[in-house]
Amino acid sequence: MIDRLEDLVGGVWSHFDHVDGRLLLVALVFHVANHVLRSVAWRNVLAGAHPGRRVPLLGVASAYAIGVALNAVVPGRGGDAAKLAIVRSRIEGSRAATIASTMAVIMLFDLVAATLLVLVVGLTGSVPFVPHVPLAGAPGWMAAHVPIAVAGVLALTALVALAVRVLRGRVRGLLAQARQGGAILRSPARYVTQVALVQAGAWTCRIAVVFLLLRAFGLHATVPTAALVMVLCGASTLIPLTPGGAGTQQVMLAYALGQAAGAAVVLSFSVGMQAGITLINAALGLAAAMVAFRTLRPVTAVRAGLGLARARA
């Protein structure tokens, strides 16, 4: 086992010698474009939730870059709290619940787009990815645990009802603020032109990044494969057990691409992609923090951002 592990590690590192640097540079341009487009979409949702107030694009873009950078290195998606705190400081009279709701509007499009991509890839068979789930004995297991599941659901429902009754006034206020965050959804034409199309452009950039990275590492690259890899990378961060889904992402990609390439190639691609994107996000986040807090000292910018997140979150 030790010999096989040494061979695998050696094979992983050997593939970095053959990476095409030109494709990496083009991927970097698309990655930055994705940041810009997602910031524009979020800014438009925020503007719809705060009519008559100034919502600076630079402030929103800085908050987004800082949040993404923190999410890549801090478990538990702590970067989202930083995004919320920084944007709240940039919009006069804004509320945390409203800003959180605008972030949910952005995530709604991501969820729909990811679901559609997986369905299209799965139904067309464009990628040799057929998950196998052992179902032997599943009916008996389900029958044995149905009463427990029903009891759990009933208990949870009772707790939620009790909490709503006790905190009725506060809940009403929070719901009103949350509805304000989704105001742009009540204007379908505005949502499509200012948010959905912009996010679609961002998704196109993200797929292009993965496509170029697959080519750079010498893997067979197609648009469906790139789309599937992008969705899996996003899914690995849904349950934030590790910073940026490290480890989880490598396992998921090894399973998904195992039929198309060797383990060493897939692992080198996965590690290289995650490390490279993390470094770029960190650089963008640091630059954004220096701009947001008007300082040329990186350490001062980081401290100011962390202090604001603790004070405002």
Side-chain angles (χ1 to χ4, degrees):
M1 289 181 63
I2 295 177
D3 291 340
R4 292 180 63 183
L5 181 60
E6 289 179 349
D7 292 340
L8 178 61
V9 173
V12 169
W13 286 113
S14 67
H15 283 93
F16 285 103
D17 297 333
H18 306 289
V19 176
D20 191 333
R22 295 168 299 178
L23 294 177
L24 295 182
L25 289 176
V26 180
L28 173 62
V29 173
F30 277 106
H31 184 68
V32 174
N34 167 60
H35 269 255
V36 173
L37 289 172
R38 290 185 69 85
S39 298
V40 170
W42 189 23
R43 184 266 168 197
N44 291 338
V45 177
L46 287 164
H50 301 90
R53 301 181 194 177
R54 181 174 177 270
V55 182
L57 176 59
L58 183 59
V60 174
S62 298
Y64 177 79
I66 293 170
V68 170
L70 288 176
N71 278 337
V73 297
V74 177
R77 299 195 66 86
D80 289 346
K83 288 181 192 178
L84 190 153
I86 295 171
V87 167
R88 187 180 176 189
S89 70
R90 297 295 184 267
I91 304 176
E92 184 179 356
S94 59
R95 299 296 184 89
T98 301
I99 297 174
S101 182
T102 64
M103 296 167 68
V105 171
I106 297 297
M107 291 178 62
L108 176 64
F109 181 92
D110 291 339
L111 178 62
V112 173
T115 302
L116 290 176
L117 279 177
V118 171
L119 287 175
V120 170
V121 170
L123 292 176
T124 59
S126 305
V127 178
F129 171 56
V130 184
H132 174 69
V133 180
L135 295 178
W141 182 91
M142 292 175 63
H145 290 78
V146 163
I148 298 176
V150 172
V153 170
L154 291 177
L156 180 60
T157 303
L159 287 174
V160 171
L162 179 61
V164 170
R165 184 173 181 179
V166 173
L167 303 173
R168 182 175 300 174
R170 183 172 178 80
V171 169
R172 285 179 179 175
L174 290 175
L175 289 177
Q177 295 174 24
R179 283 195 296 269
Q180 181 183 350
I184 199 168
L185 294 175
R186 294 190 285 273
S187 302
R190 185 180 178 187
Y191 170 76
V192 170
T193 56
Q194 296 186 8
V195 180
L197 289 179
V198 179
Q199 282 192 264
W203 270 69
T204 302
C205 290
R206 293 169 69 185
I207 294 174
V209 169
V210 178
F211 179 88
L212 290 167
L213 291 178
L214 285 168
R215 291 288 301 273
F217 278 85
L219 289 166
H220 178 65
T222 64
V223 173
T225 302
L228 178 62
V229 169
M230 187 195 68
V231 171
L232 290 177
C233 290
S236 68
T237 64
L238 291 179
I239 302 176
L241 300 176
T242 58
T248 307
Q249 183 178 127
Q250 280 69 49
V251 172
M252 296 178 73
L253 291 184
Y255 183 60
L257 302 177
Q259 300 180 35
V265 180
V266 174
L267 190 57
S268 65
F269 160 74
S270 177
V271 171
M273 179 177 66
Q274 186 166 29
I277 289 178
T278 298
L279 289 174
I280 296 302
N281 287 341
L284 292 174
L286 183 58
M290 294 169 66
V291 171
F293 300 109
R294 296 179 176 86
T295 179
L296 296 177
R297 298 180 178 180
V299 176
T300 302
V302 172
R303 288 177 177 173
L306 293 175
L308 179 63
R310 285 193 294 264
R312 295 272 185 169

